[in-house]
Amino acid sequence: MQGSHGSAYGLKYQARSIAAQVADTENTRWLVGTLSLREDNEVHLIQLADNSADILCEGLYTHQNEIWDLAACPFDSQFFSTVYASGGDFGAAIWRIPERGQGGNRVIPLQNVVNLQGHTHKIKCTLWWPSGKHNQLVSIDAENLYLWDIETSLKTAQVHGFASAGELSHMASGCWDPHDVNHVATATDVSVQCWDLRSMNQTNKIEQAHMLQVRHLDFNPKKQHIMITAGDDSRIRIWDLKMPNIPLQELPGHQHWAYRVQYNPKYEELVLSSGTDSRVNLWHVALALSGDAKPRSPFGSPKGPSDSLLRAYTEQEDSVYGLAWSTRDPWVFASVSYDGRVMVDSVPQSVRKQLTSRR
Amino acid sequence: MAQEQEDDVANDNRVRELLSNFYGSPSSSDSRPATMERLRRLDSLQQIDFAEFDPDHYMNSLLRKTPMDKVLQRYIGIAAEIKNLDSAMQMLVFENYNKFISATDTIRRMKWNIAGMESNIEQLLDSITGVRAKSDAVNDSMCERREHIEELNRTCRLLRKIQFVFDLPKRLRKCMKVEDYPVAVKHYLEALPILQDQVMDSSVVVTSRAQAVRLLQQLNHPVESLINMFLGAHWDRLLEDLGVSKPTMVNKLKSFLGLETGIATPDIKGETPTSPQKALEKIEEVHPLCQKLLDFCATFRYFASVQRSLRFETSALSATELIAALGVLSKGVTLLNELVPDAGLFEHASKAVEDSIRQHINIMFNGLYQNIAAALVIPEQLDMEASKQSNALRSYLEKAQRTIIQGSLHVLQDLKELLDKSEEYLAEWRDEYVDLVQAGFQDLFTNLVDDFLSLGVKAGINSRSIPMRKPQSGPLATPSSVLVLALLSVYIYQAAVPKITEIVGAWFIGGGAMSSEARPAFVPSEICRFFHATGDTLLHQVATLEAELHQLLDPGHPRINPGTKHSDHAGPSQVASKGDIYRVSQSKSKLWERDIAKLFTRRIELFTKVEYTQASVVSAVVKLVLKTFQEFVRLETLNCCGYQQIQLDVHYLRNALQNLINNDPVVDALFDEVCAAASDRCNVEPVPLDIAAMNRLVQAKTERQRLGTLQQISQA
């Protein structure tokens, strides 16, 4: 796919959310949820064909309410969770993908496993336990964070813990620390908060991560304490949680809101971001700056925007709200734009060579 | 050294063995211990030729026992012997060598010979293949003869059977004379199955079958069962034949009629032309049989079959072929009628003819209608290309016109031919026929009107209603196809109908058989009126579609040519109204329609490089703010009031920002996007405010503002 355009897949409605089907290690698959206020919504299970660049629809399931966020279960490809809203109603639920019926590609309704009830504000996202089989799940609404004990077989969900970010705060998203499973970070207004799930207390905070609302954040998959954030000020910043005052590095980001940012699961140098300027940017992040290394700038200020943009993918034509690396092939990723177009692109060949030769 | 000596000994022993083998002397293996003992006791001088010869012992005994001269003699003798042996050995070696040479020669020759052999064998193979092919050919040619012979054989057997049957009466009579009844019964029983076979077998010549029938009759075989059997077999065969292709069917029909008459009047086929009297005699002869047969035939079964065969034919036959088929039928009926005048055959026949002609007319009109309908379906596929090249549409329209007029003329010609050529069959109900033709046209045109209308109405549904997910049954009507339909209907009532009326008037005079209680079958004025109305409706449809198309695509123009738009600086109200029209159509149509409109518009580069000028910075800020506005709207869920509020805000901002942004098409597009986002996020079907109301509200607001500032100034 190097040099050529990526493959596209059209949804019938608008869409915001996409998630790689983490538990399926044999196929390059994603789940995409649509966002249509007045029609019945759909969840598409799409797959990148092995030998060609075609995207195939492997499953089409109906989901009544519009899907604002979607997360795949890390240990069982049958399960995933959605955050939905319709009118004044909102909620989050875990679903089971039904067995493929006799009708082949017929649209099948999803099986509801359990609803996460008790939220008082519009839910933003759900986070599965970062790796391996575990029955805990975090859900985040605008002000609160809930830790749930889920029993998928019994179809029950019980609140295990609860933390509040405070009145009138506005959490946009969160991320579970893959290195320390007791920590969850949330993007709360302009700051990043870290929570200890045992005590349900705030442990750490980046006071002003961005000038405007922090939209998304992701932990470095290889190194502890390193995280990346994206915000409405269009910037992307890399932080060391041990030094919450100054970012390690800043990327120029986007021309409008930076909406999503994600580390490559295998190569920590690769970072993917998407924004409302309808672009998907692939960044190279220098390794030397991570860890305990001090910022190179002599005055202790963050390093200025460096030319680390590897490639800007401009095929999308509307704001790109959804972004997901493939869990199977580290060079492939998918993005979904508001007008319901899923694009599957890949990392340029030259970058691949560079990265693999360094190993 | 020891090794050498051993080798020498071994060598000597080998040579000796070879020599002894050569000279046939007893070898060491024969010598037994006993003989050895014996030899030792013998004169040792005698031992020289044996294996156990001991040279030292021999020398000792020789020197001891023999005098000098004898020893000398012995020496000479031995020397001579040695020389002899040497030469003999040499000879042997030489001979061996010779043998080797000849063997090598032989082998070489063999090799050479074999090389030649391969080609020979190939030649052999070729010739054998040739022989086989020849033999096959011979076999084939013989085969034909063989088959012929076999056939002759069969015929011979058959003839013998027939001979037997023919001889049967004589033989029976003879038997009766001699009063040998058992033999007579035996003959009779033998003959019966043969005769039955004859009747059943359709390949047998009619005459022989007639004879067989007669013989059976003479034998008082029950005639009814025979007829039933025969007709049953023929019925099955006929049904089978009807499945076969048309020309063969016509033949079969002829032959069937021939057979039918043939069995009734066995000799008519062969002899009628020369001797009618004789034929009549024969008919008289088999009259009872005929009577039975006709009783059977007169049941509608026969006519049903005729009618069915005709129906099969008419599905694609033209009038001439139909007439030919009718001719065959009428001949058959006449023949039958001569035989049995009182069977009422003509009523049945004319009914059959009438039905088949009715059917023919129906089929002709159906075909025409389907042709026209097919011609009307095409534009949906060619629409995309057609819209690009106007020629395609025009040629398509001409094609459809041609289909209509030529198809109608063809049908008329066909039916006219039928009318002219089959006067005799149609004589009684000519008027009715004319009515049928006219009614056919009436139906055709009313159907077309319905079709046109339904297509047009479908287009109407498409353009203005919601069901985007509902499966649309028919093909999608596009503006161009609706336009084509409209033009076609105009053509029909202006050109096609008058022409058809004229021809119908000229060719199909009369009619009105059922006009006493009903109106005339074909009413051209009514058709014209229908098509006139349809054309108007469709044209109206086209007009609305066009208007909507303009609404939908209008926002594209300024984006495509920002430069030209820029020159004639549009007033604020004008721009606003344009945007509102976009919004109106937006709310009416759906996401996909907007997507299509998007395809036509150039991709907007929202964020271009900011230059160091005031205008550029302001416009960049406005763009950022508007984009953020859009994003925040997308995050919300609005009710109808919320949507209208945003619509109003946008309307107000549009005017207010007009001066700041210098009529930037990108900003304009962004305003539209905000409205579109609000419309998307509206949880009910959004009802947009109309422009007049918004203008009023904005005016009131600006008025208030102005008053406010005036007050402030006056206070100051």
Side-chain angles (χ1 to χ4, degrees):
Chain A
M1 278 196 282
Q2 157 72 8
S4 65
H5 292 286
S7 354
Y9 177 86
L11 304 172
K12 217 190 293 179
Y13 307 118
Q14 291 159 337
R16 268 179 186 271
S17 49
I18 187 166
Q21 209 179 22
V22 190
D24 189 346
T25 49
E26 289 172 10
N27 299 302
T28 310
R29 283 188 174 176
W30 291 275
L31 285 160
V32 194
T34 64
L35 184 85
S36 174
L37 200 52
R38 296 189 288 270
E39 311 279 346
D40 266 0
N41 285 281
E42 291 164 352
V43 173
H44 291 243
L45 177 61
I46 58 170
Q47 177 174 348
L48 181 68
D50 274 341
N51 305 320
S52 63
D54 294 338
I55 303 177
L56 314 168
C57 179
E58 288 295 314
L60 187 54
Y61 315 102
T62 51
H63 181 285
Q64 197 193 346
N65 302 315
E66 52 176 0
I67 302 166
W68 284 81
D69 192 49
L70 189 149
C73 172
F75 54 85
D76 189 339
S77 60
Q78 278 188 323
F79 293 100
F80 67 94
S81 63
T82 60
V83 171
Y84 60 85
S86 62
D89 202 17
F90 55 82
I94 297 173
W95 307 88
R96 175 207 275 275
I97 295 175
E99 295 294 325
R100 190 178 276 246
Q102 314 90 323
N105 240 356
R106 214 156 38 87
V107 178
I108 320 167
L110 288 165
Q111 294 170 1
N112 186 310
V113 176
V114 64
N115 281 321
L116 307 180
Q117 283 165 338
H119 278 282
T120 49
H121 294 83
K122 203 171 158 187
I123 307 173
K124 295 297 178 183
C125 67
T126 52
L127 308 174
W128 290 85
W129 191 263
S131 63
K133 190 167 166 113
H134 201 275
N135 59 353
Q136 283 190 323
L137 189 114
V138 163
S139 64
I140 295 168
D141 69 21
E143 290 178 9
N144 304 309
L145 180 145
Y146 288 81
L147 179 65
W148 302 84
D149 281 335
I150 306 290
E151 204 55 66
T152 48
S153 53
L154 297 176
K155 302 196 170 188
T156 57
Q158 294 199 326
V159 180
H160 186 91
F162 162 78
S164 175
E167 288 276 314
L168 295 178
S169 62
H170 187 270
M171 289 201 273
S173 64
C175 186
W176 207 311
D177 189 344
H179 306 288
D180 182 354
V181 287
N182 293 318
H183 281 99
V184 163
T186 58
T188 314
D189 292 322
V190 297
S191 66
V192 172
Q193 286 176 306
C194 295
W195 306 87
D196 191 316
L197 292 179
R198 289 164 294 192
S199 59
M200 295 310 274
N201 283 328
Q202 180 186 322
T203 54
N204 201 348
K205 190 172 186 184
I206 301 173
E207 277 297 342
Q208 183 148 30
H210 286 270
M211 295 291 289
L212 299 168
Q213 172 78 48
V214 181
R215 281 288 159 196
H216 197 225
L217 71 174
D218 193 22
F219 277 100
N220 187 314
K222 305 284 178 192
K223 293 196 177 64
Q224 207 174 351
H225 304 305
I226 307 294
M227 72 172 353
I228 194 161
T229 58
D232 281 1
D233 59 358
S234 83
R235 297 308 171 103
I236 294 167
R237 285 175 176 161
I238 299 171
W239 303 85
D240 185 345
L241 285 178
K242 286 178 280 180
M243 294 184 298
N245 297 325
I246 301 165
L248 287 176
Q249 193 182 355
E250 182 175 297
L251 304 173
H254 290 261
Q255 283 165 326
H256 200 244
W257 298 358
Y259 209 86
R260 289 272 144 176
V261 64
Q262 226 179 0
Y263 273 109
N264 186 304
K266 196 165 172 204
Y267 300 96
E268 53 182 314
E269 303 97 313
L270 283 182
V271 169
L272 203 61
S273 70
S274 71
T276 50
D277 60 350
S278 58
R279 275 163 189 264
V280 176
N281 288 343
L282 181 67
W283 306 92
H284 182 262
V285 182
L287 283 172
L289 290 172
S290 55
D292 294 326
K294 298 267 176 205
R296 277 184 194 163
S297 171
F299 305 106
S301 66
K303 200 183 170 221
S306 61
D307 191 20
S308 49
L309 179 64
L310 289 173
R311 178 161 172 192
Y313 297 85
T314 55
E315 286 105 328
Q316 295 281 21
E317 293 186 354
D318 207 332
S319 307
V320 185
Y321 296 125
L323 195 65
W325 285 101
S326 158
T327 38
R328 179 171 169 245
D329 182 350
W331 306 119
V332 174
F333 61 89
S335 61
V336 61
S337 67
Y338 188 65
D339 57 4
R341 182 141 59 135
V342 180
M343 295 289 307
V344 173
D345 283 289
S346 63
V347 175
Q349 206 73 41
S350 54
V351 180
R352 297 186 201 189
K353 258 183 215 157
Q354 215 179 333
L355 285 176
T356 42
S357 65
R358 197 175 299 166
R359 298 257 148 155
Chain B
M1 292 294 279
Q3 182 72 35
E4 260 181 21
Q5 274 173 354
E6 267 180 24
D7 275 1
D8 278 349
V9 171
N11 218 18
D12 284 350
N13 281 340
R14 205 171 56 87
V15 169
R16 198 175 300 147
E17 211 164 319
L18 280 172
L19 288 174
S20 65
N21 269 344
F22 184 72
Y23 287 109
S25 57
S27 69
S28 56
S29 57
D30 315 312
S31 55
R32 294 188 179 119
T35 46
M36 274 173 68
E37 265 328 292
R38 195 167 43 85
L39 283 171
R40 195 163 287 168
R41 265 180 269 126
L42 280 175
D43 190 355
S44 56
L45 288 177
Q46 308 274 312
Q47 292 177 354
I48 195 162
D49 283 340
F50 291 95
E52 285 74 22
F53 173 65
D54 189 356
D56 296 334
H57 179 69
Y58 178 76
M59 278 302 288
N60 285 341
S61 67
L62 191 73
L63 291 174
R64 202 172 52 235
K65 287 178 186 167
T66 337
M68 192 58 196
D69 54 330
K70 282 266 174 82
V71 170
L72 275 176
Q73 248 176 1
R74 186 77 194 154
Y75 167 69
I76 291 165
I78 280 182
E81 251 176 276
I82 283 174
K83 252 182 207 148
N84 276 344
L85 280 173
D86 264 357
S87 67
M89 196 163 125
Q90 221 164 357
M91 277 289 293
L92 275 176
V93 168
F94 184 74
E95 263 171 25
N96 259 348
Y97 192 58
N98 241 6
K99 273 178 196 159
F100 267 122
I101 287 173
S102 68
T104 350
D105 281 353
T106 317
I107 284 168
R108 202 172 295 141
R109 225 173 27 243
M110 257 163 74
K111 223 187 251 171
W112 187 78
N113 284 344
I114 280 172
M117 211 151 80
E118 203 167 330
S119 64
N120 285 345
I121 279 175
E122 255 166 39
Q123 218 175 329
L124 189 68
L125 194 70
D126 280 355
S127 42
I128 281 175
T129 322
V131 167
R132 183 182 291 173
K134 292 242 168 73
S135 90
D136 279 355
V138 168
N139 233 8
D140 279 356
S141 55
M142 295 299 273
C143 184
E144 232 169 76
R145 289 292 161 84
R146 201 181 302 141
E147 266 167 25
H148 191 64
I149 289 167
E150 268 167 24
E151 209 176 299
L152 283 178
N153 233 355
R154 262 204 301 278
T155 321
C156 177
R157 228 177 292 144
L158 202 68
L159 283 173
R160 212 173 288 148
K161 260 190 214 169
I162 292 170
Q163 184 64 38
F164 173 72
V165 171
F166 285 165
D167 288 349
L168 185 65
K170 223 187 283 171
R171 210 173 290 173
L172 283 178
R173 233 168 277 142
K174 213 193 280 171
C175 289
M176 305 276 230
K177 244 182 238 166
V178 192
E179 301 194 336
D180 192 356
Y181 295 116
V183 178
V185 168
K186 204 182 109 207
H187 284 316
Y188 172 74
L189 284 177
E190 268 172 29
L192 201 56
I194 299 171
L195 284 170
Q196 271 175 358
D197 275 0
Q198 287 277 298
V199 175
M200 299 299 291
D201 191 357
S202 59
S203 62
V204 179
V205 198
V206 176
T207 47
S208 70
R209 182 182 301 160
Q211 243 159 351
V213 170
R214 215 168 333 137
L215 282 169
L216 275 174
Q217 219 182 351
Q218 282 175 1
L219 289 169
N220 275 338
H221 193 75
V223 180
E224 286 87 349
S225 71
L226 192 65
I227 292 172
N228 273 335
M229 252 157 55
F230 172 79
L231 285 177
H234 273 277
W235 180 249
D236 290 345
R237 215 154 56 78
L238 189 73
L239 283 184
E240 261 170 44
D241 291 341
L242 288 177
V244 193
S245 60
K246 278 166 276 156
T248 55
M249 211 158 66
V250 174
N251 290 339
K252 292 287 177 190
L253 181 64
K254 281 180 194 164
S255 72
F256 175 64
L257 289 168
L259 282 176
E260 205 73 11
T261 49
I263 188 163
T265 63
D267 291 321
I268 268 184
K269 279 243 148 170
E271 300 171 37
T272 315
T274 49
S275 55
Q277 277 87 7
K278 202 173 162 197
L280 275 176
E281 272 168 37
K282 295 262 166 132
I283 290 166
E284 287 303 311
E285 208 175 302
V286 264
H287 190 74
L289 178 61
C290 281
Q291 199 57 53
K292 303 257 169 162
L293 177 69
L294 285 172
D295 281 350
F296 192 77
C297 279
T299 58
F300 56 86
R301 213 168 153 199
Y302 166 67
F303 287 106
S305 78
V306 171
Q307 218 172 321
R308 185 178 307 190
S309 67
L310 283 175
R311 190 181 311 151
F312 272 114
E313 286 167 52
T314 43
S315 65
L317 282 189
S318 68
T320 42
E321 280 163 301
L322 181 66
I323 290 163
L326 287 178
V328 172
L329 176 64
S330 86
K331 214 185 284 169
V333 170
T334 332
L335 280 174
L336 284 174
N337 199 45
E338 272 171 27
L339 287 173
V340 202
D342 51 2
L345 277 177
F346 272 127
E347 275 95 274
H348 287 288
S350 63
K351 193 168 166 292
V353 168
E354 188 183 329
D355 282 352
S356 63
I357 287 176
R358 250 178 230 279
Q359 238 149 29
H360 178 68
I361 294 171
N362 262 347
I363 284 159
M364 286 310 277
F365 276 109
N366 267 342
L368 177 62
Y369 173 64
Q370 261 150 24
N371 276 350
I372 295 172
L376 288 179
V377 178
I378 304 168
E380 271 76 65
Q381 284 108 35
L382 49 72
D383 197 51
M384 284 314 282
E385 306 99 77
S387 54
K388 278 178 207 150
Q389 20 176 302
S390 57
N391 278 350
L393 266 184
R394 174 149 290 283
S395 72
Y396 157 70
L397 180 64
E398 277 164 8
K399 204 181 113 214
Q401 286 175 351
R402 236 179 298 131
T403 316
I404 289 174
I405 193 74
Q406 280 179 359
S408 312
L409 287 181
H410 175 71
V411 168
L412 277 172
Q413 234 150 27
D414 192 86
L415 295 177
K416 170 96 160 69
E417 200 181 342
L418 189 62
L419 181 63
D420 289 349
K421 292 219 179 139
S422 50
E423 290 281 348
E424 42 200 300
Y425 316 119
L426 292 175
E428 280 160 32
W429 50 288
R430 188 194 156 83
D431 284 349
E432 218 172 312
Y433 177 73
V434 170
D435 271 350
L436 271 177
V437 174
Q438 293 189 350
F441 272 106
Q442 181 85 10
D443 284 351
L444 174 74
F445 284 119
T446 28
N447 277 343
L448 278 180
V449 167
D450 286 352
D451 269 11
F452 282 15
L453 274 178
S454 71
L455 279 172
V457 167
K458 223 176 262 161
I461 286 169
N462 263 342
S463 66
R464 70 178 54 186
S465 75
I466 313 98
M468 115 175 158
R469 286 200 299 164
K470 273 184 197 162
Q472 294 249 338
S473 54
L476 227 81
T478 53
S480 57
S481 69
V482 175
L483 188 62
V484 165
L485 288 181
L487 286 176
L488 266 183
S489 55
V490 170
Y491 172 78
I492 287 173
Y493 80 74
Q494 278 184 351
V497 172
K499 183 146 193 200
I500 288 166
T501 317
E502 194 183 308
I503 295 171
V504 168
W507 287 356
F508 298 93
I509 313 151
M514 47 195 182
S515 65
S516 51
E517 75 268 14
R519 61 211 176 78
F522 183 44
V523 195
S525 59
E526 197 188 58
I527 295 292
C528 283
R529 211 175 59 240
F530 278 163
F531 271 103
H532 201 124
T534 315
D536 283 355
T537 325
L538 289 174
L539 275 179
H540 185 70
Q541 193 69 56
V542 172
T544 41
L545 270 178
E546 216 163 289
E548 290 186 357
L549 196 72
H550 276 301
Q551 286 172 15
L552 200 66
L553 294 182
D554 201 28
H557 291 308
R559 292 185 209 178
I560 292 161
N561 295 323
T564 54
K565 193 74 195 171
H566 194 59
S567 57
D568 57 2
H569 188 82
S573 61
Q574 198 184 332
V575 173
S577 68
K578 186 183 64 199
D580 283 320
I581 290 167
Y582 179 80
R583 244 170 287 140
V584 170
S585 63
Q586 169 98 69
S587 66
K588 208 190 264 180
S589 61
K590 276 280 156 182
L591 199 65
W592 62 275
E593 273 184 44
R594 196 183 58 196
D595 286 345
I596 291 167
K598 240 183 181 176
L599 285 179
F600 289 102
T601 59
R602 207 178 39 173
R603 186 179 171 174
I604 323 157
E605 279 302 324
L606 269 189
F607 306 105
T608 45
K609 198 164 173 62
V610 183
E611 293 160 30
Y612 294 101
T613 59
Q614 202 178 342
S616 174
V617 172
V618 167
S619 116
V621 168
V622 167
K623 280 182 209 165
L624 273 176
V625 168
L626 283 178
K627 178 70 184 167
T628 310
F629 186 15
Q630 181 200 3
E631 289 299 335
F632 271 115
V633 167
R634 280 183 177 179
L635 287 172
E636 298 304 320
T637 304
L638 306 167
N639 56 16
C640 197
C641 294
Y643 166 64
Q644 288 177 345
Q645 183 61 52
I646 286 171
Q647 199 192 359
L648 184 63
D649 290 349
V650 168
H651 187 72
Y652 176 75
L653 278 175
R654 227 188 257 269
N655 287 344
L657 291 176
Q658 199 63 55
N659 304 327
L660 270 180
I661 53 170
N662 211 6
N663 201 16
D664 190 339
V666 176
V667 174
D668 215 34
L670 269 171
F671 277 124
D672 289 344
E673 291 266 328
V674 172
C675 277
S679 154
D680 283 341
R681 296 306 306 162
C682 189
N683 60 3
V684 290
E685 194 61 48
V687 182
L689 288 173
D690 64 28
I691 313 141
M694 284 197 293
N695 276 336
R696 247 194 341 269
L697 284 167
V698 169
Q699 221 161 12
K701 166 84 177 163
T702 43
E703 199 67 22
R704 255 203 322 276
Q705 268 181 333
R706 211 160 50 84
L707 281 177
T709 43
L710 278 179
Q711 270 175 358
Q712 275 172 0
I713 291 166
S714 63
Q715 275 169 8

